[in-house]
């Protein structure tokens, strides 16, 4: 239900504001009425660190999927609006798309996604926390 979903999102931003991480990734699987819509999508806050993190993640995930999506600003997303640290929503593909659904259920593809996310996060930290 919508209420349970909103409560879950409020808990995510509340938790992030309590433990104060240096950034937050919220991982999701997407859905569209158009079954042809596919691929990864990263949604960011309107702040420079969030935009940088989103761009690095989107580039890494685009390489896995062979797509050329650009990250998008998510003004209306609770997790992004109410979380103080740089935050992004990472949509890992569309369950409503047959090829994405097949990939998302494949352990080899899951490992590729995990590696792409890890590399993007490492790159982000190297750029924002120089030694």
């Amino acid at each position: 239900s919508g209420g349970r979903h909103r409560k879950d999102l409020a808990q995510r931003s509340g938790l992030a504001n309590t433990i104060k991480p240096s950034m937050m990734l919220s991982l999701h699987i997407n859905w569209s009425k158009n079954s042809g819509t596919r691929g990864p999508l990263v949604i960011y806050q309107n702040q420079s660190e969030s935009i940088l993190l989103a761009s690095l993640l989107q580039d890494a995930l685009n390489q896995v999927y062979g797509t050329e999506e650009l990250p998008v600003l998510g003004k209306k997303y609770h997790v992004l609006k109410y979380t103080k640290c740089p935050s992004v929503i990472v949509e890992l593909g569309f369950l409503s798309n047959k090829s994405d659904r097949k990939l998302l259920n494949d352990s080899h593809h899951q490992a590729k996604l995990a590696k792409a996310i890890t590399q993007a996060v490492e790159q982000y930290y190297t750029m924002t926390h120089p030694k």
Side-chain angles (χ1 to χ4, degrees):
S1 77
R4 194 175 73 218
H5 182 67
R6 266 193 304 279
K7 192 175 168 189
D8 172 57
L9 296 177
Q11 284 173 333
R12 287 179 200 216
S13 53
L15 181 64
N17 292 333
T18 302
I19 60 175
K20 297 182 173 60
S22 51
M23 55 91 127
M24 184 176 86
L25 302 179
S26 189
L27 304 177
H28 302 263
I29 305 295
N30 222 336
W31 180 270
S32 173
K33 286 181 189 144
N34 177 356
S35 64
T37 306
R38 63 174 293 269
L41 181 64
V42 183
I43 305 161
Y44 60 89
Q45 292 169 313
N46 194 13
Q47 56 170 273
S48 58
E49 289 97 346
S50 178
I51 296 164
L52 172 63
L53 178 60
S55 299
L56 294 168
L57 285 161
Q58 188 73 63
D59 287 348
L61 293 168
N62 280 342
Q63 286 175 29
V64 174
Y65 277 90
T67 52
E68 293 183 8
E69 289 299 319
L70 293 172
V72 298
L73 174 61
K75 287 181 188 164
K76 67 183 192 288
Y77 292 89
H78 191 287
V79 167
L80 301 180
K81 203 191 257 181
Y82 298 105
T83 307
K84 295 180 180 90
C85 65
S87 303
V88 296
I89 293 170
V90 182
E91 297 282 2
L92 293 164
F94 285 81
L95 274 182
S96 47
N97 177 272
K98 195 176 176 183
S99 62
D100 273 11
R101 189 167 57 246
K102 191 177 175 190
L103 285 170
L104 290 164
N105 279 302
D106 176 67
S107 60
H108 181 66
H109 180 74
Q110 291 168 7
K112 275 185 173 173
L113 291 174
K115 188 176 179 185
I117 291 168
T118 303
Q119 287 174 336
V121 169
E122 285 173 350
Q123 209 178 346
Y124 170 80
Y125 272 110
T126 304
M127 293 170 83
T128 57
H129 299 79
K131 289 191 170 117

